[in-house]
Amino acid sequence: MNKICTGAEEAIRDIPDGAVLMLGGFGLCGIPENCISALVKKRVTGLTCISNNAGVDDFGIGLMLMQQQVKKMISSYVGENAEFERQLLSGELEVELIPQGTLATRCMAAGYGMPAIFTPAGVGTEVATGKETRRFNGKDYLLEYAFEADFAIVKAWKGDTMGNLIYKDTARNFNPLMAMAGKITIAEVEELVPAGELDPNMIHTPGIYVHRIFQGKDYEKRIEQRTVLSKK
Amino acid sequence: MNKICTGAEEAIRDIPDGAVLMLGGFGLCGIPENCISALVKKRVTGLTCISNNAGVDDFGIGLMLMQQQVKKMISSYVGENAEFERQLLSGELEVELIPQGTLATRCMAAGYGMPAIFTPAGVGTEVATGKETRRFNGKDYLLEYAFEADFAIVKAWKGDTMGNLIYKDTARNFNPLMAMAGKITIAEVEELVPAGELDPNMIHTPGIYVHRIFQGKDYEKRIEQRTVLSKK
Amino acid sequence: MAIDKNQIAQRIARELKDGYYVNLGIGIPTLVANYIPAGINVVLQSENGLLGMGPFPEAGKEDPDLINAGKQTITTIPGSSFFDSAMSFGMIRAGKVDLTVLGAMEVSDTGDIANWKIPGKMVKGMGGAMDLVASAKNIIVAMMHTNPKGESKLLPACSLPLTGVRCVKKVLTDLALMDITDEGFLLLERAPGVSVDEIQAKTAGRLVVRGEIPEMVFG
Amino acid sequence: MAIDKNQIAQRIARELKDGYYVNLGIGIPTLVANYIPAGINVVLQSENGLLGMGPFPEAGKEDPDLINAGKQTITTIPGSSFFDSAMSFGMIRAGKVDLTVLGAMEVSDTGDIANWKIPGKMVKGMGGAMDLVASAKNIIVAMMHTNPKGESKLLPACSLPLTGVRCVKKVLTDLALMDITDEGFLLLERAPGVSVDEIQAKTAGRLVVRGEIPEMVFG
């Protein structure tokens, strides 16, 4: 059992054109920077990307958009990205917008072997178009299907050689959910430690869900909205 | 905001006859010993208990069965309990047996606001009787409804004054799931600490799900099947 | 005179009760955190995975791994907890959050809300708004009474694509505080010096005025 | 001669591949852990919430908070992880567990399994068995070929209430190793000294015998 890769290039080596990818992160927080760089370098194209956001013009998934590697984005919020907007309006890029909780739960459903879930998000709105609605206890819910991806690419804070992952603060977000939903799950971590060094009670993603792991490098961790207390 | 109780008596003070309770634990591991003792002392009756197991004759939920406080058990496995068997065969006790994963997921569904889930467990068996079956991707699933309880009673290792909980080892089991599913959730913990002492990255049950908390005492933690390595 | 966004936040803060778990949307709702009354403890939820959001960090102490749903750098309070996005929306969907405050482009007199899309303009997405409005037990909308063109944002029916249906319970604008009832917007309070006639004139949906309407008081 | 339960465990252990995640049921399946071949790393899942189950503890080192699905005190290996029962059955349901080994009272020649209930006797419950058999990619049943009365447990159809339908892939008994195929039980190996005729006589379901059937070899 060897899950360890030397780096992002090896970890993403077999991602083909046209693959369906999940990419963890919320905004620019907790995104798999190393794998995104490697995908940009590899110039794999025709990708469907399931990710809560689409990065900004010069960081995150924005870097892949810049090279027109993405055919379709499935996201909940895609603002703050001029090139994205241009491709969308020109018809080069397909976009499916879904509520954030629905996105999260559809990933979790795949990891839990549940083919579909019920959520009230979007009932009575255009999101409900063409979807099955069902009433439980007097409230309407939409039937939403589990999301699966050929590759799920996530970023964690610490990981071990068995693939166990721990996330830090709000960089957790979609990462543990997508980690469960990949046919192949690739994890990049800030610190890779030998099996046995992480407290088994504190594992967020058990290694069974992780197929490849490597210690990333040169994390920029860009801040999108730097806000500080104003001086009194 | 004060969630802290002086002990089990105060925490369970308003549990009425006929209430629907969830009780955490797997076998005798991770069961809310203090609350069970208090329920036995209070002699509240006509209870419906959702718990993976029913304890043994002289420990756990078995103590409540001994006093005929339980009207109905909803469990996945109820062996190892002679008084339980007697009451079941005499018709004094109603029992609903459901697959363990279904039980767990129905609790989680309540905590996640999902009215129902799909699971393949029990398809083609007597468990499927009267239930809706639905095919997704060529596989059949049962529609199973979320479980809610008037009171969920759980046991954790550590807790803080905000109601955040951390469990230890396999004593976690059903506890975090049931903690999410109670209209009122009561947590007994081995160690209660001030808010801020637990690492916010390592919380298993966020305090929003917990209404009452207290530091339990005199834990027996009985072992059901003591097994050790045979000496070579 | 119409109240400003800080006064809107201040007035909403009075709706908070001790022990509330509260989700504050981006914009004016975020300001509510600055006006939590003394003696009241509330826990702020950020739907990207945090309970117990604290104030912005001091300059130099920003942590890129610690942001709120508006992607702003933040801090945590003692007793906070982090979790993934499924659990975050799980607790929202299960009704564990006591109060949700968010902005809107339009609200109807039956409680429909539109706040995510303007057809013909660039669509940014609904983020977590549809989940929040579909599940929150108690939703207060904080917004201007009229749009920049002077048109009412309180309508008989929303003209923009909906975010949620029959979900808003209360609306606070720069002019008035209203409950949403079966009869429409029930006027509860006026901004200081704003007349009922002005509120009536700027409310396109059904407005119910019953008896004397008190003015909001700001200390 | 029929093989004993340790030999059954030993033979099943040869089905393990490096990197497998394995769920071992109560009884004979538990013994498989004692025969994991050298050079092969497998991770044992215990459905009460553990990946990386280790051997029983030394006397005096039992921890009541650390048990397996059979409620036995156990230990963990380095790199183990604990999780709740929903995630545990989630990973089972999602097919992340590579191999499940469990006992049975009856198996049909179409792969149905009955192992939880005998009508008229005290019913203890299915525990996690129905979840496991409904979702596992690869299920091996380990059991005796006949019941204490000498009746075949390999049947055209189960007579007892089912645990799962068309799910078993392989059966290993004290007499034989068989695949379950569209044609029925396909005989793969015989216990040392046990004849095909004996296996045939003790198999009530369809048995397919094709060519020479090798004997199992134990080192």
Side-chain angles (χ1 to χ4, degrees), chain A residues 25-57:
Chain A
F26 176 89
L28 302 178
C29 181
I31 62 173
E33 296 184 20
N34 280 235
C35 284
I36 290 172
S37 293
L39 286 165
V40 166
K41 195 172 153 206
K42 189 176 153 79
R43 290 188 172 267
V44 51
T45 62
L47 299 171
T48 295
C49 293
I50 303 170
S51 185
N52 189 59
N53 310 89
V56 293
D57 276 327

Side-chain angles (χ1 to χ4, degrees), chain B residues 1-3 110-114 160 162 164 180-183 195-196 198-201 203-204 206-211, chain C residues 18-21 41-43 45 51-52 76-84 86-94 96-97:
Chain B
M1 173 158 42
N2 184 13
K3 301 185 174 189
Y112 276 31
M114 300 193 291
D160 72 17
M162 306 272 279
N164 295 302
M180 297 192 294
K183 282 178 208 155
L198 302 179
D199 180 344
N201 277 306
I203 303 297
H204 297 133
I208 194 171
Y209 287 114
V210 176
H211 304 89
Chain C
D18 189 45
Y20 262 22
Y21 289 90
N41 281 304
V42 300
V43 179
Q45 201 242 20
L51 275 169
T76 57
I77 62 166
S80 61
S81 57
F82 296 104
F83 33 83
D84 65 49
M87 180 179 263
S88 185
F89 285 95
M91 62 183 67
I92 288 167
R93 210 183 292 113
K96 303 291 176 184
V97 174

Side-chain angles (χ1 to χ4, degrees), chain D residues 78-101:
Chain D
S80 61
S81 58
F82 296 104
F83 34 83
D84 65 49
S85 301
M87 180 178 262
S88 185
F89 284 96
M91 63 183 67
I92 288 168
R93 211 183 291 116
K96 302 292 176 185
V97 174
D98 298 291
L99 177 64
T100 296
V101 184

